[in-house]
Amino acid sequence: MSFYRSQVLICGGTGCTSSGSMDLMSAIKSEIKKHGIENEIEVIRTGCFGLCELGPIIIVYPEGAFYSRVEVKDIPELVEEHLVKGRILKRLVYHEAIENDRVKSLNNVDFYKKQQRIALGNCGVIDPEEIDEYLAVDGYKALEKVLTSMTPQDVIEEMKKSGLRGRGGGGFPTGLKWEFAAKQVNEQKYIICNADEGDPGAFMDRSILEGDPHAVLEAMAIGGYAIGANQGYIYVRAEYPIAVERLKVAIKQAREYGLLGENILGTGFKFDVEIRLGAGAFVCGEETALMNSIEGKRGMPNPKPPFPAVSGLWEKPTVINNVETYANIPVIIRNGAEWFANIGTEKSKGTKVFALGGKITNTGLVEVPMGITLREVIYEIGGGIPNGKKFKAVQTGGPSGGCITAEHLDTPIDYDTLTALGSMMGSGGMIVMDEDNCMVDVARFYLDFTKDESCGKCTPCR
Amino acid sequence: MSNMENKCCCCNCGQPDERLEKVKKFINDHKDVKGGLIPVLHFIQETYGYLPEDVLEHVSDGLNIPMTEIFGVASFYHFFSLEPKGEHIIRVCMGTACYVKGAQGILDKFARELNVEVGKTTEDGKFTLEATRCLGACGLAPVLTIGEKVYGRLTVDDVPRILDEYRK
Amino acid sequence: MMEMIKFKIDGIELEVPKGTTVLEAARSVGIKIPSLCYLKDVNKSSSCRVCVVEVGPRLIASCTLAAENGMDIKTNTAKVREARRTVVELLLSNHKRECTTCVRSENCELQALAKDLNIRDIRFEGEKTTCPIDDSSTSVVRDQEKCVLCGRCISTCGNVQSVHAIGFANRGFSTVVAPAYHKPLSDTVCINCGQCIMACPVGALHEKENIKDVWNAIADPDKYVVVQTAPAVRVALGEEFGMPVGSRVTGKMVSALRKLGFDKVFDTDFAADLTIMEEGTELLKRLESGENLPLMTSCCPGWVKFVEHFYPDMLDNLSTCKSPHQMEGALIKSYFAKKMDIDPAKITVVSIMPCVAKKFENQREELSSENLQDVDIVLTTRELAQMIKEAGIDFANLSDEEFDNPLGESTGAAVIFGATGGVAEAALRTVFEITAGKELEAIDYEVVRGTEGIKEATIELPNGKSINAAIAHGLANARKLLDMVKSGEKKIDFIEVMACPGGCVTGGGQPIIDAKTREVMDVKIERAKAIYDEDKSLPIRKSHKNPYIKQIYEEFLGEPNGHLSHELLHTHYQKRNRF
């Protein structure tokens, strides 16, 4: 492997791709070729850096220069100045990242300062289409540890101890869910990854799949080992083509490396994963509707009980968790449950990824410890409301959640406090509204949404 | 069963329908796949741009699923279309982040400019205007897509310019 | 040992077998939980939410909630009552409320619910489903604006009948029950059995009414109006006048028909006896030649259309016999017309049937001769009851009368056509004696009776041969049977199929039994009991012993399967689209 003196990280998430980051990538590649330095500079497409507002984003290491809103016409200058001459092109560097004319380390930028990236840990760091890069950051170590030194019951105990709760909305303890499924006696069980991220304004699952698909595969295999399942399904929105593509690549690579399929890591454990595309139905984010959809039916929920852990996909015991939940699992196994349980609040452990959107300066993805206040997220990380407008409310929990007003801005965020405020955690969308937004209009918007997206089965909802 | 022959579905030109051959092979490959219906419908949607009735009859046959059930599934999901769509599909994101940043105005502007209802196709078959669920590009709100191309940080004034790109 | 579950409902300690739902358990101790979408053995979608009960902090639909140890269920709290009321109000807010003129008025489960829950006004007003009425079918009319989306019809059509003519389409508020591509019902694989009507709790599905046509014919002085009644009608009609399920009202029915103004009252049972002669002969011939076996009965028009759609390769297996009322119609317009010296063109034949598929059958082009349909109008048992009510006839107090002759005389073998297994039993009675060449005493074939979905029997004939007979009712069972025959898994000589579960006694034209009654009583068993009682009560119980049957062959037809028989009593079938 040759040594590169500089690494150029280009965000390949949906946000930045939409604003042209892939064009930038080819422009940079041809430009450095022109300068004959293609053996010195490595150009890497990564997952999402989180600060989508400023896309397309390029980060150049070792300096850690954070270039924002780069355009193709900027590339010759950028390559010439930074990569050839070694001078940071300050005019393109994110203004928050410059202090007294010097480039700050990213960890000191307000947007990143209070974040703690666990689920998003590898997003924007590794090339999601290279399994070797995942392996280089301890990828699949957790699976190895589980398969070689833990019993399924140990894994479940570890999950219970960690206090991890489902990140998809309900907040059900993951370890308990696994335990229920593990207790069922059945030769066929299933593990499902719910990647039908449906709440408008929430896109953390997409970012994780785009930025760190192997983490999800690894976690699903761990779950399979814990409950005794050898088949997994990832149900992902058809509207996420990049995520689907990266998952396909990741599954293929994992199979080639013997990390999926028969006899994983030579332990005799067998587990494989299949991708199923959603087809545009919000209700399929609900677990029983999702399973009906995988079965090829109309995505209509079934009554619970029976719960999926008892009778789920094709009436077999099934564990279904969402993407962000899975993304936490390899790290928990590697670092231990106690490490994880030290983060967060008493009943909500760990971190939560929020998607900041709407009338906020820094739209994008942030991952913060549970218990941080809304004010910190919106003002310190999110940079507050643009154009000098006044904050009116923040909507959390998706269409079935609620709007939280200014008086509750100092509430520490966790599952229970948000529920107490009449909203909910949901999948973590946070949409900020300013004085110009009409709340009646917003309420109507959500009602229309829920009406349109109702499956139509039951009387009250249609 | 005249419509089951391998003829081009859209006209009686007598040409063998290559798309149908592809679809039939795909159906055959999914015969024993549990829950294979939705992947098959995706493939047909991708191949034809919608779900033609005679093609669904092959699905019913191949997968041994009654037509009413296939139709029920096809009409349940937004992604599937039961009628042909326009050459360009304009999908305006109506996720919350886009909505609070004025997506409704942009959608309305398209409807006016194209003189077409949301969800419908223009008379010349050139454009289909759709309101779509959150595309997850909230950082660029409000956004829309035409084909693979994404347009972000839009204002109502951008609409005519965007349409001009496709009207040529 | 069956595992038992202990729990409480409204303070009552209960012990039920594992798997029992809360709804079933509650009803077993006399607690009445209202329900709408739930239909025993057919539909358990828990979608209407009418049957919610309180379980801890949650409201859960009790129809699909399996009882668990230690549960403490409350069925009568303010929260429960309010939730149920809200649900019914929501249903009513999108329901075409024309109750007084609705065909299901006073026989509507939604109306009954609203009454029970004391709903006096509807708080919700909003968008309503708009959808034109689909009356394209000869048999079934669909009014989507009355539909409550309970799915009972879909489960019936799909699971019980395996026809899948209708399903849910679209979603959210736009959800409707519809054929694929919203086609008119007449363009679908619907086999017109009308079991969807029997399942519908409201007036969204009903038969195509032909009452007016009959009144007009009766009023027309130039018309000679002859009526015939199917075997199953006489054991159900009484229910429409408040009599218990399973009452036999043959004599009152004949009396009422005369009072309505029909010129002659004949019995389809006569033609049923004739069918046995024709079909029995056909069976013996096919057994002889070994061709087109198994022979499949053809008296059920729903079944016949089912074969035409889904098993076109087996059309030759169907008996070529017309169904009994078509035979009777053909004879009325030939034999009877000649005998009475009436111009057949002036005769109107009305069939009172337990069936709506007969409304399709009588319009088949092949069931006619010289441009005259064998049967002109088909009414269901329900429509007949309607006419009797309209005419102000005090049905319960009518005295018994007899059918007219010669086409009104029949045997016990004909009566049992009304229940599943009946045609097979009647055929066996005759075939057995013909091959034996002498009279036999034991004629009750218990083995082909009963409500099991598929019944099989091997009958050793006196001539040393044997017949493998199979009987199916409910088309999903028929499909199973045919697939076994096609795969070679079963070797069968004779198949009797009736499309409706239970046979004609529970046909799609019979009095509608609501979901609650269905839970406590198996109507098909009760009505079948009446059928077999009628059989027992008759002096002659074998078709070939019917003196008028002998007479008609001597005077008119010649011999079974003879030339004239073929012309008048036999038919052919056509392949239909599978989709």
Side-chain angles (χ1 to χ4, degrees):
Chain A
M1 206 155 126
S2 53
F3 173 77
Y4 296 106
R5 65 175 166 86
S6 251
Q7 285 168 320
V8 178
L9 271 51
I10 300 178
C11 174
T14 292
C16 287
T17 305
S18 302
S19 45
S21 66
M22 290 305 102
D23 293 342
L24 295 184
M25 181 147 139
S26 40
I28 290 176
K29 279 188 174 164
S30 67
E31 201 63 25
I32 57 177
K33 212 166 188 176
K34 220 185 277 173
H35 287 281
I37 51 173
E38 68 265 33
N39 293 326
E40 300 165 37
I41 315 285
E42 189 181 18
V43 182
I44 303 165
R45 175 199 38 209
T46 69
C48 178
F49 298 117
L51 197 44
C52 308
E53 174 69 23
L54 301 173
I57 292 170
I58 295 174
I59 301 180
V60 182
Y61 285 102
E63 297 87 348
F66 188 101
Y67 294 108
S68 66
R69 295 213 177 167
V70 184
E71 293 178 48
V72 173
K73 66 176 167 46
D74 299 325
I75 295 299
E77 188 187 356
L78 180 77
V79 171
E80 169 98 30
E81 282 295 305
H82 192 147
L83 298 176
V84 177
K85 298 184 179 157
R87 294 194 296 231
I88 290 173
L89 184 59
K90 286 183 190 151
R91 96 178 155 78
L92 287 178
V93 173
Y94 173 40
H95 64 94
E96 289 280 326
I98 293 192
E99 200 171 47
N100 301 329
D101 221 27
R102 294 188 43 194
V103 173
K104 285 199 284 194
S105 147
L106 273 185
N107 293 336
N108 290 325
V109 173
D110 283 345
F111 183 76
Y112 290 104
K113 209 159 53 183
K114 288 208 164 176
Q115 290 200 45
Q116 182 171 9
R117 288 162 77 98
I118 297 171
L120 298 178
N122 291 330
C123 289
V125 175
I126 60 169
D127 182 337
E129 296 195 9
E130 287 296 336
I131 189 170
D132 288 330
E133 294 212 4
Y134 183 65
L135 292 170
V137 291
D138 290 338
Y140 290 104
K141 281 262 169 68
L143 180 61
E144 186 187 341
K145 179 176 170 187
V146 159
L147 293 183
T148 55
S149 67
M150 294 170 86
T151 65
Q153 191 52 41
D154 291 342
V155 179
I156 289 166
E157 284 308 321
E158 192 73 0
M159 293 313 299
K160 280 162 72 179
K161 257 195 283 174
S162 75
L164 177 66
R165 292 170 68 173
R167 299 295 194 238
F172 193 81
T174 306
L176 274 185
K177 198 186 260 190
W178 288 18
E179 189 169 42
F180 288 143
K183 276 185 183 156
Q184 301 300 315
V185 183
N186 203 313
E187 52 192 51
Q188 181 68 66
K189 297 180 187 178
Y190 294 104
I191 290 274
I192 298 177
C193 172
N194 182 348
D196 190 58
E197 188 169 52
D199 285 0
F203 52 95
M204 58 286 295
D205 290 350
R206 194 206 63 211
S207 282
I208 292 168
L209 293 178
E210 287 173 359
D212 196 13
H214 284 288
V216 175
L217 298 181
E218 183 179 6
M220 288 176 74
I222 292 170
Y225 175 72
I227 71 158
N230 56 34
Q231 177 65 47
Y233 288 95
I234 302 180
Y235 186 88
V236 54
R237 285 182 71 182
E239 292 92 333
Y240 287 176
I242 299 176
V244 173
E245 195 45 46
R246 298 219 171 122
L247 273 173
K248 280 185 186 160
V249 171
I251 291 172
K252 185 166 168 277
Q253 291 177 346
R255 282 181 189 151
E256 282 164 9
Y257 276 57
L259 296 164
L260 281 180
E262 306 279 338
N263 194 18
I264 293 173
L265 293 165
T267 60
F269 175 62
K270 173 187 162 192
F271 187 79
D272 211 341
V273 172
E274 213 179 288
I275 299 173
R276 285 297 166 94
L277 291 192
F282 172 72
V283 67
C284 288
E286 194 281 332
E287 54 190 16
T288 58
L290 185 151
M291 291 186 294
N292 275 326
S293 187
I294 291 182
E295 291 179 16
K297 302 183 197 151
R298 291 163 62 84
M300 302 202 289
N302 293 342
K304 291 189 279 192
F307 290 93
V310 177
S311 174
L313 191 60
W314 287 295
E315 291 171 11
K316 305 293 183 198
T318 303
V319 155
I320 173 163
N321 287 120
N322 88 328
V323 174
E324 188 187 337
T325 316
Y326 282 123
N328 277 292
I329 289 169
V331 196
I332 292 174
I333 298 287
R334 285 202 307 269
N335 294 357
E338 272 167 42
W339 165 81
F340 188 81
N342 275 328
I343 306 165
T345 64
E346 193 199 336
K347 287 196 174 143
S348 303
K349 300 299 184 191
T351 57
K352 177 76 191 91
V353 181
F354 290 102
L356 299 182
K359 304 289 183 66
I360 189 160
T361 305
N362 299 330
T363 55
L365 275 191
V366 303
E367 182 170 357
V368 290
M370 298 275 191
I372 195 169
T373 65
L374 281 166
R375 188 182 301 281
E376 286 172 280
V377 173
I378 292 167
Y379 285 92
E380 295 184 28
I381 299 174
I385 319 294
N387 307 323
K389 300 276 184 176
K390 262 170 48 192
F391 171 87
K392 188 178 245 174
V394 57
Q395 205 279 341
T396 73
S400 0
C403 292
I404 299 169
T405 50
E407 57 187 323
H408 299 296
L409 273 177
D410 291 311
T411 310
I413 307 166
D414 69 15
Y415 288 101
D416 311 300
T417 52
L418 288 181
T419 308
L421 285 178
S423 184
M424 58 192 227
M425 181 75 84
S427 49
M430 271 196 190
I431 309 215
V432 179
M433 296 165 207
D434 69 10
E435 54 189 293
D436 293 343
N437 290 113
C438 165
M439 296 316 288
V440 179
D441 187 49
V442 169
R444 200 189 168 83
F445 168 80
Y446 277 113
L447 269 182
D448 279 345
F449 180 88
T450 44
K451 191 191 97 185
D452 288 347
E453 293 296 337
S454 153
C455 78
K457 180 182 175 186
C458 303
T459 314
C461 164
R462 64 172 188 253
Chain B
M1 216 77 57
S2 60
N3 54 359
M4 299 286 285
E5 287 159 25
N6 296 346
K7 294 277 170 59
C8 175
C9 72
C10 41
C11 54
N12 290 320
C13 56
Q15 295 289 316
D17 184 351
E18 275 174 34
R19 294 182 298 183
L20 186 58
E21 283 311 308
K22 267 172 34 193
V23 166
K24 277 170 142 177
K25 185 175 180 304
F26 195 85
I27 293 171
N28 205 38
D29 292 345
H30 283 72
K31 258 193 166 79
D32 302 315
V33 175
K34 280 174 127 189
L37 176 60
I38 290 177
V40 166
L41 294 183
H42 268 299
F43 188 79
I44 298 170
Q45 176 77 37
E46 206 175 292
T47 308
Y48 288 87
Y50 74 112
L51 305 176
E53 183 176 348
D54 51 350
V55 179
L56 292 193
E57 289 181 358
H58 287 285
V59 179
S60 176
D61 252 354
L63 301 181
N64 199 18
I65 300 173
M67 270 302 263
T68 40
E69 212 172 303
I70 297 172
F71 184 74
V73 170
S75 63
F76 184 88
Y77 297 98
H78 284 318
F79 220 79
F80 301 130
S81 169
L82 292 156
E83 43 192 69
K85 295 222 165 163
E87 198 181 322
H88 306 289
I89 303 171
I90 305 168
R91 294 195 166 99
V92 181
C93 177
M94 288 297 277
T96 321
C98 289
Y99 184 79
V100 300
K101 285 190 164 179
Q104 185 70 50
I106 288 162
L107 188 66
D108 293 345
K109 177 77 174 169
F110 272 108
R112 276 199 308 275
E113 286 280 319
L114 294 170
N115 191 24
V116 70
E117 270 177 70
V118 178
K120 293 277 187 303
T121 303
T122 52
E123 268 176 34
D124 60 5
K126 204 141 173 95
F127 297 99
T128 299
L129 179 61
E130 290 182 353
T132 177
R133 293 166 59 214
C134 183
L135 295 168
C138 310
L140 302 175
V143 298
L144 65 87
T145 63
I146 300 179
E148 298 275 288
K149 195 162 175 191
V150 183
Y151 298 82
R153 300 186 183 109
L154 295 166
T155 65
V156 172
D157 299 334
D158 295 327
V159 171
R161 181 182 54 76
I162 292 170
L163 282 176
D164 282 345
E165 284 181 41
Y166 296 88
R167 270 179 170 151
K168 277 167 238 155
Chain C
M1 252 299 272
M2 191 178 277
E3 197 184 332
M4 298 301 280
I5 303 290
K6 277 186 179 170
F7 73 115
K8 272 203 296 200
I9 301 183
D10 295 341
I12 302 171
E13 299 270 1
L14 271 176
E15 206 174 351
V16 296
K18 192 177 178 185
T20 307
T21 64
V22 169
L23 183 88
E24 289 161 346
R27 287 183 180 170
S28 73
V29 291
I31 293 169
K32 201 174 132 191
I33 298 176
S35 60
L36 184 63
C37 67
Y38 171 67
L39 188 61
K40 192 183 170 203
D41 301 333
V42 175
N43 198 45
K44 267 190 171 190
S45 63
S46 67
S47 62
C48 74
R49 319 309 285 181
V50 169
C51 69
V52 289
V53 294
E54 224 177 304
V55 191
R58 291 178 68 196
L59 287 175
I60 304 182
S62 60
C63 65
T64 49
L65 178 63
E68 283 170 31
N69 278 318
M71 267 183 172
D72 187 4
I73 308 278
K74 299 207 165 48
T75 74
N76 179 23
T77 64
K79 192 170 156 192
V80 165
R81 286 193 304 271
E82 184 53 31
R84 289 176 184 164
R85 176 201 294 276
T86 304
V87 159
V88 175
E89 277 183 70
L90 283 167
L91 284 170
L92 289 170
S93 74
N94 186 27
H95 182 74
K96 193 205 263 177
R97 290 200 305 280
E98 46 173 43
C99 301
T100 49
T101 53
C102 178
V103 64
R104 292 292 294 272
S105 181
E106 296 189 327
N107 183 18
C108 167
E109 294 181 31
L110 181 61
Q111 193 182 42
L113 265 178
K115 201 173 165 209
D116 284 355
L117 298 178
N118 194 26
I119 291 169
R120 289 284 168 266
D121 60 347
I122 291 144
R123 288 169 290 172
F124 312 108
E125 211 172 305
E127 199 182 342
K128 284 199 168 196
T129 301
T130 48
C131 197
I133 291 174
D134 176 7
D135 61 356
S136 61
S137 154
T138 53
S139 308
V140 179
V141 179
R142 299 191 324 113
D143 186 351
Q144 196 57 39
E145 294 180 8
K146 288 183 184 167
C147 179
V148 293
L149 298 175
C150 64
R152 280 158 52 163
C153 54
I154 295 174
S155 297
T156 305
C157 189
N159 302 337
V160 179
Q161 299 295 57
S162 74
V163 170
H164 301 279
I166 46 173
F168 283 119
N170 309 337
R171 76 155 181 239
F173 182 78
S174 316
T175 306
V176 287
V177 175
Y181 284 89
H182 301 284
K183 284 185 186 167
L185 200 58
S186 54
D187 287 0
T188 70
V189 291
C190 171
I191 50 99
N192 304 310
C193 69
Q195 283 299 309
C196 54
I197 298 173
M198 308 308 279
C200 184
V202 295
L205 287 159
H206 57 88
E207 72 271 33
K208 166 97 50 90
E209 211 180 89
N210 294 103
I211 293 174
K212 265 196 194 121
D213 303 335
V214 177
W215 282 131
N216 289 343
I218 290 173
D220 186 341
D222 287 339
K223 289 281 180 202
Y224 190 86
V225 189
V226 182
V227 69
Q228 56 168 323
T229 66
V233 177
R234 65 205 67 184
V235 296
L237 181 64
E239 293 162 31
E240 290 280 345
F241 301 94
M243 297 179 190
V245 173
S247 305
R248 280 192 280 148
V249 293
T250 319
K252 290 186 198 303
M253 175 182 73
V254 174
S255 166
L257 288 166
R258 291 221 172 86
K259 286 197 161 42
L260 288 175
F262 290 104
D263 295 306
K264 282 280 183 237
V265 182
F266 287 148
D267 194 352
T268 310
D269 289 16
F270 172 82
D273 278 331
L274 196 60
T275 301
I276 291 304
M277 299 307 294
E278 293 294 326
E279 202 167 284
T281 307
E282 197 180 9
L283 175 61
L284 288 170
K285 275 188 179 165
R286 290 200 196 180
L287 284 171
E288 195 72 31
S289 71
E291 277 171 18
N292 295 328
L293 287 173
L295 171 74
M296 309 194 297
T297 57
S298 59
C299 26
C300 171
W303 154 244
V304 166
K305 191 159 181 262
F306 181 83
V307 176
E308 289 178 327
H309 282 294
F310 300 112
Y311 294 90
D313 52 330
M314 294 182 83
L315 287 179
D316 288 341
N317 293 77
L318 282 171
S319 160
T320 58
C321 289
K322 290 180 182 176
S323 77
H325 86 120
Q326 296 290 152
M327 286 193 182
E328 181 107 354
L331 290 177
I332 290 168
K333 291 190 179 180
S334 54
Y335 173 67
F336 175 75
K338 205 163 138 193
K339 219 173 163 123
M340 301 285 290
D341 197 22
I342 307 173
D343 176 5
K346 289 190 172 165
I347 297 179
T348 301
V349 176
V350 177
S351 297
I352 312 293
M353 297 283 126
C355 180
V356 290
K358 295 281 180 195
K359 287 175 186 272
F360 173 80
E361 183 188 41
N362 83 310
Q363 293 182 28
R364 280 176 180 252
E365 211 187 313
E366 59 271 25
L367 297 180
S368 63
S369 66
E370 289 162 22
N371 288 327
L372 293 180
Q373 291 300 121
D374 295 339
V375 172
D376 299 286
I377 307 168
V378 173
L379 292 189
T380 61
T381 308
R382 296 189 293 269
E383 287 170 281
L384 172 60
Q386 182 60 53
M387 284 185 75
I388 295 171
K389 287 174 189 167
E390 216 180 319
I393 296 167
D394 180 6
F395 187 81
N397 292 315
L398 289 174
S399 49
D400 290 353
E401 291 182 16
E402 299 275 327
F403 286 106
D404 290 311
N405 274 329
L407 302 176
E409 186 66 37
S410 65
T411 70
V415 150
I416 58 174
F417 266 56
T420 168
V423 181
E425 180 168 350
L428 290 173
R429 287 179 189 175
T430 289
V431 167
F432 197 92
E433 264 196 21
I434 287 176
T435 42
K438 60 172 184 187
E439 210 152 312
L440 293 154
E441 274 309 306
I443 56 165
D444 285 344
Y445 290 85
E446 292 288 347
V447 55
V448 299
R449 297 184 187 179
T451 57
E452 208 167 310
I454 299 176
K455 292 167 281 188
E456 280 180 69
T458 300
I459 313 295
E460 305 290 340
L461 292 180
N463 62 5
K465 290 191 176 165
S466 64
I467 299 178
N468 289 329
I471 292 118
H473 58 121
L475 290 172
N477 292 321
R479 192 184 279 274
K480 228 182 280 166
L481 178 61
L482 286 199
D483 289 343
M484 287 191 287
V485 169
K486 277 179 80 167
S487 71
E489 192 187 330
K490 294 263 164 164
K491 185 102 185 52
I492 309 281
D493 304 308
F494 177 69
I495 293 178
E496 177 211 287
V497 175
M498 297 196 189
C500 295
C504 308
V505 284
T506 29
Q510 293 284 64
I512 290 168
I513 304 292
D514 66 25
K516 282 198 193 77
T517 313
R518 279 205 197 189
E519 276 169 51
V520 294
M521 174 195 289
D522 194 340
V523 174
K524 53 184 183 288
I525 291 178
E526 299 302 316
R527 290 187 187 150
K529 234 186 257 166
I531 286 268
Y532 289 112
D533 286 348
E534 182 104 346
D535 168 31
K536 276 237 163 74
S537 76
L538 289 170
I540 306 172
R541 299 179 61 203
K542 292 167 244 176
S543 298
H544 59 286
K545 296 285 181 193
N546 182 337
Y548 289 93
I549 290 288
K550 288 182 188 165
Q551 188 186 332
I552 203 169
Y553 278 111
E554 280 161 19
E555 279 181 20
F556 184 65
L557 288 170
E559 54 172 5
N561 289 14
H563 175 70
L564 194 54
S565 287
H566 264 290
E567 207 166 279
L568 289 172
L569 309 180
H570 290 254
T571 183
H572 57 272
Y573 309 99
Q574 54 180 306
K575 181 177 171 178
R576 292 176 196 270
N577 194 332
R578 256 171 324 142
F579 299 108

